[in-house]
Amino acid sequence: MNITVYCGAHEGRDPEFAKRAAELGRWMAEHGHRLVFGGGNSGMMGVISQAVIAAGGELTGVTPEFFITADEVRDDMTELILSADVTERRSKMIDLADAFIALPGGTGTLDEISEVIANNRLGLLGETYKPVMVYNVNGYYDSFFDFLNAMEAQEFYRHEDRSKVIEVRCIEDIAAALETAGGEDSTRNRLYDGMR
């Protein structure tokens, strides 16, 4: 299964972030899942990709051409896909994925997973169901989930859509969510009804 993972180009202050990223990378490799990521060699991207490689797994990096010249990209990936810009990069990472995970990261990570959440709400992620997970390591995403719940409470977000943003706190949660991947997505190509 191709799992697109969004995460920071820095490791953050909490050492648990990198620890969990490495754990996830090893687990993905050991279970035959391919990492799809931004191709970076630093921060959380570097940690998870190195763990996948060390465990004998495969990874696809998708990166804008200008990152190559800035020496921000791993040179030992299974596959490297160059994009013209960041927008094209995001679209390709979505197209390649069977599932999505957001690890702790900054505004880029938030932007990327938010686009996936919005596309999922509109049924635009493809013909089959693709789990959208947010890995809430040590409460990093507590405020994010509070905000989603507030949107639902204020009727800007339907309960059925809110329930599709899966909070995961450990590898076991991720494994359980992945079991739902590949089934028919009943919301595919649903038109926005203007209600919320």
Side-chain angles (χ1 to χ4, degrees):
M1 185 177 298
N2 287 342
I3 303 176
T4 290
V5 177
Y6 303 114
C7 55
H10 302 281
E11 291 186 20
R13 294 181 63 182
D14 188 340
E16 191 70 14
F17 298 159
K19 179 181 175 182
R20 296 290 190 91
E23 178 188 48
L24 176 60
R26 285 191 301 272
W27 179 86
M28 287 175 62
E30 290 166 359
H31 289 80
H33 300 301
R34 177 184 282 244
L35 171 66
V36 177
F37 77 122
N41 57 14
S42 63
M44 296 283 280
M45 281 193 283
V47 170
I48 190 170
S49 58
Q50 184 57 42
V52 169
I53 291 169
E58 296 185 340
L59 63 165
T60 297
V62 185
T63 190
E65 294 180 11
F66 64 82
F67 278 3
I68 297 287
T69 58
D71 197 28
E72 295 287 333
V73 178
R74 295 196 72 98
D75 60 5
D76 54 359
M77 291 178 282
T78 310
E79 179 182 21
L80 173 63
I81 299 173
L82 295 179
S83 63
D85 52 34
V86 173
T87 300
E88 184 180 311
R89 172 205 215 181
R90 288 195 316 237
S91 295
K92 188 64 178 177
M93 290 174 71
I94 290 171
D95 290 344
L96 290 170
D98 299 306
F100 304 88
I101 301 173
L103 284 166
T107 55
T109 302
L110 183 60
D111 178 44
E112 290 165 326
I113 198 63
S114 294
E115 181 176 11
V116 171
I117 290 169
N119 285 350
N120 197 27
R121 180 180 185 273
L122 295 172
L124 299 176
L125 292 184
E127 297 181 7
T128 59
Y129 176 66
K130 299 179 179 182
V132 178
M133 294 167 268
V134 177
Y135 200 165
N136 195 5
V137 179
N138 278 358
Y140 181 76
Y141 281 112
D142 283 352
S143 296
F144 176 75
F145 283 106
D146 287 345
F147 184 57
L148 292 184
N149 293 336
M151 285 194 290
E152 181 185 348
Q154 293 297 328
E155 299 186 351
F156 286 109
Y157 203 30
R158 296 181 187 178
H159 177 72
E160 66 182 90
D161 297 316
R162 166 62 188 89
S163 66
K164 289 183 180 179
V165 185
I166 305 166
E167 179 181 12
V168 295
R169 291 182 175 266
C170 59
I171 294 293
E172 290 75 18
D173 290 348
I174 293 170
L178 289 177
E179 290 180 4
T180 67
E184 183 179 353
D185 186 354
S186 60
T187 65
R188 180 175 172 262
N189 293 330
R190 184 181 68 213
L191 294 175
Y192 177 67
D193 63 11
M195 292 176 62
R196 296 185 182 147

